Structures are given as structure tokens and as C-alpha cells.
Amino acid sequence: MLKSKTVVLGISGGIAAYKAASLCSKLVQSGANVHVIMTKSATQFIQPLTLQTLSRNPVTVDIFDEKDAAVVSHIDLADRADIVLVAPATANIIAKMAHGIADDMLSTTLLATTAPIMIAPAMNVHMYAHPAVQQNIQMLKQRDIHFVNPGSGQLACGYVGEGRLAEPETIYEAVQQHFLTFESSQLLKGKRVLVTAGGTLERIDPVRYITNDSSGKMGFALAEAAYKMGAKVVLISANTQLKVLQGLENVCVKTTEEMYEAVLSRYDEMDMVIKAAAVADYRPIKQYDKKIKKSDDTLTITLQKNPDILKKLGELKTNQFLIGFAAETNDLEKYALEKLKNKNCDLLVANDVTALGSGFGTDTNKVNLYDKMGLIKELPLLTKEQVSEQILKMAASKMS
């Protein structure tokens, strides 16, 4: 995960600086190219030679100590970094970052870089809780600076409380997770993805209609996951009460015919279509303008078939990657494979809606993924966000 990544490790002047040696070693062992910048105060706690030996790169302390005339050191490191990690980060360096002060090598590099920045604070419990420090931390969080929160425990000063530098393993895992998240955000970069969500509604009269129990949660989760993976997303939703993530284009419809028209009009522009909506298969032939009054003991409503959106998409498909859903109550694999073949899908997501935690309206789902070769992945019960990530990672892999 970290192989060939350039990590600029900033070490500021606190007793926890000795832990940076272990962190540096972990990063190097994982394949990262680590360049260490130390403040002068940090050198009072750990020698630059230690970090140079571990990183196998020169350690920079003095901003005016330009070893290579071909580059300006703080700009060169700022440009080369895939991430800048400050561990430990004292109250002093956090304040400098918050207020744009650049008076040494580390603070100047932090101000010059456009790479993501991660901070692991370490200081006395009262210093960490001080309003000025907390305000500075909040300012940096608003600028999308990542934090690895300190732990609680015995501090070097004798106090017990929050302010202890997170363990090197914890910081290392945070760096790994950052790159995992970043790589995920590139999976669908530049792709155009259309997602349908919710349950369509077919009106009988002004107060009655035919619909289903779909909440739209699965479709919305897929749309948000695709957006976070870099896609340009169009969400076509029917009769949902869910909040749409900012950045998505949302088209609201009610009936199956309206969804059919909305999807077909955009189909040619798409790289991927995810048909997660639960559409009504039939609609009343006659829709009454006024409320039907009770008269006889029985009432007959004649229905006609709605257009099959997924089947039409399969027929018209050129380069689009088509994902269908099958919500079943029995014979899951049989119906899933039949639907995948009949609708010409590239991937079919099937779930048993009678299973605990897997029905309509839940925040979780348990699904199986099928392609033309059969079952390719069986997912355990996960949140719908986690299910969405797994589906899209599988789709992105197949598209590539």
C-alpha cells in the first residue's frame, strides 16, 4: 500500500519525539520513501543521525542548509510528498500551521505543500485542552487536515489524561487507511454513472396507489459511493425521503414510465448504470380523477404491464456496464441467474428480502454478486454503504 509513496515525516520538539524512530522504521519497512524534517527543538530529544539511519535519507533541520544547489529544499520536499505526516505535533507547530507562520524548515514546508497533511498531536493534558489549542485544531480540521487523536494515559510530565502521542502502529495504520481511501476515490474517476433508487408509484385515484416497500437507501448509498470514487453521478429517485449528497445530480420521478423516460434519455452518455430502484411492474389501465367510493363488496382494477427498464437497457447496451438488482423471497440463485441472462446485465446483485437485516428499509444488506459465470462473491451482512463499496469495486475491476 505504501510502496513507492513519498512520506515527509515532520518531528517537532516534544518528549514523544523518540517514538518517531519506530514510526519511521515501520514506514520504511512498508516500502515508503521517508524524508524526515526535524525542528531544532526535536533534536534535543532524538538525534538526526538516528532518523537518517532509519530512513536512509538525509534529515533536514536548518532551512538555510541547502545541500543541493539544484533545488530549494523546502519546496522540493513539499512538491515530492504524497503525504506530510507530523508526529509528534506540539502545540507550537499546530499554532504555526493554523496561523500560517513559516519560520523554520518544517513550518515552511507545511505551508508550501499541496499534499495531504496528517497530524498526531502530543502535549500536556492541560495544553491539549486549552481553548487556544482546540481552536487551532478546529481551524485545521476545517482545512481538511487529518488528525490522529492522542491517547489517554501517563504523560512524561507526570499527569494522567489525554495528550499522549498515539502509538506508532496506530499512526502507521492511519497513513495506510489514507492511501486506501485515496485509491478508492480514483476507481471511477472520470466515469459517468447513473443510479436509480426508491420505489415507483402508480396512481389508482387521488388517494390510492400501487407501490412497494423500497426506501431507496441502497440506491442512495450506491450513488454516494460512486461519487466518492470519483464518478460524475446522476441519481434518478422515486418517492424517497432521503437527503441527497451535495454534488450529485438528482432527478425526481414518481411512476415507472417517468423513470423509464428519465433513464433512457441519459443512457447514451453513461459508462455505468446501476438499476437499484424497485419499480412497479404493472399500473392501472384507468386512473380515476375522483376518489372511488365504496359500493359493491368487491372492486376490480385492471392492470397493464409497465415498460421493463432493465431489459430495455440490456437491449440497447453498447459500452455501458449494466448492474441489475434482484430482490427475491426464494430460489435466490436461480432467479438471479435467469434475470442476469434475460436482461443482459454485466453484474447482478441479489438478496433475499425475507432474511434478517436484508429487507426493505433496513440500514444493512446481505447480497450475492453474480456475473455470466455464476456466483462470484457472497457478502456477509454489512451496512449498505459497505455493500455499495464492494459492488462498485467489483464493477470497477471488471470494467478495467
Side-chain angles (χ1 to χ4, degrees), residues 41-238:
S41 298
T43 64
Q44 300 296 310
F45 296 97
I46 185 170
Q47 290 295 311
L49 180 60
T50 302
L51 281 306
Q52 179 175 304
T53 303
L54 292 170
S55 69
R56 300 166 199 164
N57 281 312
V59 174
T60 308
V61 178
D62 188 348
I63 193 170
F64 298 109
D65 184 16
E66 296 285 358
K67 294 181 174 64
D68 184 354
V71 297
V72 178
S73 294
H74 67 278
I75 301 299
D76 182 51
L77 287 175
D79 289 344
R80 290 165 61 188
D82 291 304
I83 190 170
V84 179
L85 171 63
V86 185
T90 60
N92 184 51
I93 193 66
I94 289 173
K96 287 181 180 181
M97 293 177 66
H99 298 282
I101 296 171
D103 62 357
D104 62 9
M105 182 65 183
L106 180 54
S107 58
T108 303
T109 304
L110 286 163
L111 203 60
T113 191
T114 57
I117 298 173
M118 185 175 290
I119 297 174
M123 64 196 76
N124 168 268
V125 59
H126 298 311
M127 291 176 68
Y128 184 69
H130 194 283
V133 174
Q134 288 300 311
Q135 184 178 27
N136 288 337
I137 288 173
Q138 291 307 312
M139 288 172 64
L140 293 175
K141 285 182 177 180
Q142 289 171 8
R143 296 177 202 162
D144 293 328
I145 304 296
H146 308 281
F147 277 80
V148 183
N149 293 329
S152 295
Q154 182 79 37
L155 304 179
C157 58
Y159 283 95
V160 176
E162 194 173 17
R164 181 175 179 168
L165 180 69
E167 292 303 314
E169 183 65 33
T170 301
I171 301 171
Y172 170 74
E173 288 173 358
V175 174
Q176 278 195 314
Q177 185 58 48
H178 162 77
F179 284 110
L180 275 170
T181 302
F182 175 78
E183 289 187 7
S184 177
S185 72
Q186 304 299 299
L187 283 176
L188 296 175
K189 188 174 178 63
K191 300 296 184 184
R192 296 157 298 180
V193 176
L194 186 149
V195 182
T196 67
T200 57
L201 179 154
E202 305 297 342
R203 184 64 64 182
I204 298 171
D205 66 16
V207 297
R208 300 180 182 91
Y209 51 81
I210 299 170
T211 189
N212 55 67
D213 291 326
S214 177
S215 65
K217 288 182 178 180
M218 191 71 246
F220 272 62
L222 283 159
E224 292 186 12
Y227 178 75
K228 290 175 181 177
M229 291 181 181
K232 182 178 180 182
V233 180
V234 177
L235 174 63
I236 300 178
S237 60

